[in-house]
Amino acid sequence: MRLCIISDVHANLPALEAVLDECPRGRIIHAGDVVGYNPHPGEVIELMREKRIASVMGNHDYAVLTGDTSAFNPVAARAIEWTRGVLQEEHLAYLRSLSLELRVEGICCVHGSPAEPLWEYVYPGEGLEEHLQRAGARMLVLGHTHVPFHLRLPQGEVLNPGSVGQPRDGSPLASFAVVEDGEVEVRRVEYEVGRVARDILRAGLPGVLAQRLYSGW
Ligand code: ZN
């Protein structure tokens, strides 16, 4: 079995392209937040579809569909509103088609946590046993925090592949994971941050969204 696991692409096309170039052949799973923050939501949705990447829904995907930004900070909310203004009906239909949970090859994949798939942040060491138990799977795959980790417990393993489009662990490199024959490897890849930063400014999105990509926060 060989799987490429990605998360939180967040409308960053150059980062997604760079990751897909490094992904070995096989199935690709995405742990949610296809859109939000960055300036290429339509292009990213089209590439996700073309590559048949299976995805769950993230809180930013949900907010773009509902227009409810009450849980977001002003910068994130502004990006949600901008995204709603540029996406076409076919893109919205794609977001609407995403489910909250995906089960494939003994893996349970959600964006936040099995109990709160859209909103709960799970960091290493925080009740992972309970999350695994609730998932009822050998491996639980999460996104949402944008911080990569992989832990093996007696009950199973928990993997967050980090974020493709907005890493937050102090490295600007796009993050993803490869699962092959029971081995898990988190990998990082360089992409053209300058290209995304330029498009963020051209789109009129807040400049801080460009700045943070250079240092990974
Ligand atoms: Zn996210």
Side-chain angles (χ1 to χ4, degrees):
M1 177 186 85
R2 186 157 64 185
L3 276 172
C4 195
I5 301 189
I6 65 176
S7 190
D8 295 271
V9 170
H10 280 299
N12 184 333
L13 184 64
L16 178 60
E17 287 171 339
V19 164
L20 293 180
D21 279 348
E22 296 292 314
C23 266
R25 278 188 177 279
R27 224 164 174 164
I28 307 175
I29 293 175
H30 178 251
D33 278 358
V34 179
V35 298
Y37 294 127
N38 293 306
H40 310 124
E43 295 95 320
V44 160
I45 286 172
E46 284 159 28
L47 189 56
M48 298 275 295
R49 268 209 204 125
E50 183 195 319
K51 299 290 180 187
R52 297 177 190 281
I53 299 169
S55 180
V56 292
M57 187 181 288
N59 56 317
H60 289 251
D61 305 321
Y62 181 75
V64 163
L65 288 172
T66 60
D68 180 359
T69 57
S70 54
F72 290 83
N73 65 51
V75 168
R78 169 81 189 95
I80 295 290
E81 279 149 25
W82 178 87
T83 302
R84 282 166 62 81
V86 297
L87 285 186
Q88 294 162 14
E89 177 47 39
E90 55 169 312
H91 301 130
L92 296 172
Y94 168 85
L95 294 178
R96 230 175 272 127
S97 76
L98 301 177
S99 58
L100 292 176
E101 183 184 290
L102 201 69
R103 286 180 184 268
V104 55
E105 316 249 20
I107 291 172
C108 171
C109 175
V110 292
H111 183 61
S113 77
E116 287 278 354
L118 287 178
W119 301 104
E120 188 177 7
Y121 290 91
V122 176
Y123 290 94
E126 290 174 7
L128 294 183
E129 294 86 355
E130 283 160 46
H131 292 304
L132 261 171
Q133 202 168 17
R134 186 160 187 131
R138 179 178 58 72
M139 182 187 275
L140 173 60
V141 169
L142 308 167
H144 198 36
T145 64
H146 299 205
V147 177
F149 76 89
H150 173 237
L151 280 175
R152 281 184 206 276
L153 304 164
Q155 300 89 335
E157 44 197 314
V158 184
L159 168 67
N160 187 323
S163 172
V164 171
Q166 194 193 75
R168 286 183 198 157
D169 62 341
S171 165
L173 305 181
S175 188
F176 67 107
V178 176
V179 179
E180 190 163 12
D181 301 327
E183 294 298 311
V184 175
E185 191 191 359
V186 174
R187 297 191 193 171
R188 307 301 288 257
V189 60
E190 207 176 328
Y191 72 94
E192 237 184 301
V193 173
R195 196 175 133 204
V196 191
R198 181 200 65 198
D199 290 350
I200 284 171
L201 300 178
R202 274 191 191 160
L205 286 163
V208 66
L209 290 174
Q211 283 164 25
R212 66 186 303 171
L213 294 177
Y214 285 100
S215 38
W217 54 278

